[in-house]
Amino acid sequence: MTELATLEAYGVLTEPATLKIHRLLPGPIERVWAYLTDSDLRRQWLAAGQMEMKVGAPFELVWRNDELTDPPGHRPAGFAQEQRMQSRITELDPPRKLAFAWEGSGDVSFELTPEGNEVLLTVIHRRLPDRTTTLMVGAGWHMHLDILAARAAGKKPEPFWDGWSRLKKEYDRRIPA
């Protein structure tokens, strides 16, 4: 069995404040890159926001998680219908790597590696401030990437909020206190 066949769907802490998560997606790499960089495609699985493809360029991401799936599932108390975050591109190597800093919420990198007809997407979220944030981010990335994988494969994803709530409980069991 190959390493890719046994990839764990759950994110893991590679350091106390760093979460790494993988997804194997249908290629080619340019298609997956478009899901990361094109606002219209990215809003289908994560957040909208135009990006100038240049290191140092600022941009805003706009999350509307209720719009990611139909139905959206039950949104937990305390979550707004929309969230905005100021960001800045910190690394860019099309179509293999995109990294950006999130205002007050760490750094995120996306690395793409061709694997035959598929593409290995590795997401690394660094500088997570505490366990509560890590649990929310772990469940969030996991659910967003599940939606991306479903969209890329032409399948209907699970309702976002129901999946996120289930995954948050699972991350609470997996992430050390």
Side-chain angles (χ1 to χ4, degrees):
M1 192 175 265
T2 68
E3 176 187 346
L4 291 178
T6 60
L7 276 178
E8 176 69 45
Y10 288 89
V12 295
L13 290 178
T14 58
E15 298 175 8
T18 302
L19 181 81
K20 180 188 267 190
I21 188 166
H22 301 281
R23 281 299 177 281
L24 197 56
L25 304 167
I29 193 170
E30 294 80 9
R31 178 175 182 243
V32 178
W33 181 255
Y35 271 105
L36 297 177
T37 59
D38 180 277
S39 179
D40 290 336
L41 289 173
R42 191 179 347 93
R43 77 168 189 76
Q44 296 176 27
W45 68 276
L46 183 65
Q50 295 296 325
M51 292 179 171
E52 180 184 359
M53 291 288 104
K54 185 171 95 176
V55 172
F59 63 98
E60 180 180 63
L61 288 176
V62 181
W63 279 263
R64 294 185 184 108
N65 292 332
D66 289 357
E67 297 176 6
L68 295 177
T69 59
D70 184 19
H74 177 73
R75 182 172 7 108
F79 285 90
Q81 284 186 314
E82 179 179 286
Q83 179 181 342
R84 293 174 175 263
M85 188 170 297
Q86 300 306 309
S87 309
R88 181 179 43 79
I89 294 177
T90 57
E91 288 184 67
L92 185 61
D93 181 16
R96 300 196 180 274
K97 186 169 186 179
L98 170 66
F100 48 83
W102 276 344
E103 186 178 83
S105 177
D107 304 302
V108 177
S109 67
F110 300 90
E111 296 181 23
L112 302 177
T113 307
E115 299 287 343
N117 292 330
E118 297 176 304
V119 177
L120 178 63
L121 169 61
T122 301
V123 178
I124 302 172
H125 193 133
R126 294 175 180 84
R127 296 189 306 120
L128 292 162
D130 53 46
R131 186 174 187 274
T132 300
T133 303
T134 301
L135 297 178
M136 292 177 60
V137 165
W141 277 122
H142 192 129
M143 194 60 213
H144 284 291
L145 292 174
D146 282 357
I147 291 171
L148 172 58
R151 297 254 185 262
K155 298 179 181 175
K156 182 176 179 175
E158 165 183 18
F160 178 83
W161 289 114
D162 297 346
W164 182 88
S165 295
R166 174 183 51 78
L167 287 163
K168 186 170 181 277
K169 291 175 188 168
E170 183 60 29
Y171 275 90
D172 189 33
R173 287 193 286 275
R174 291 171 172 264
I175 302 284

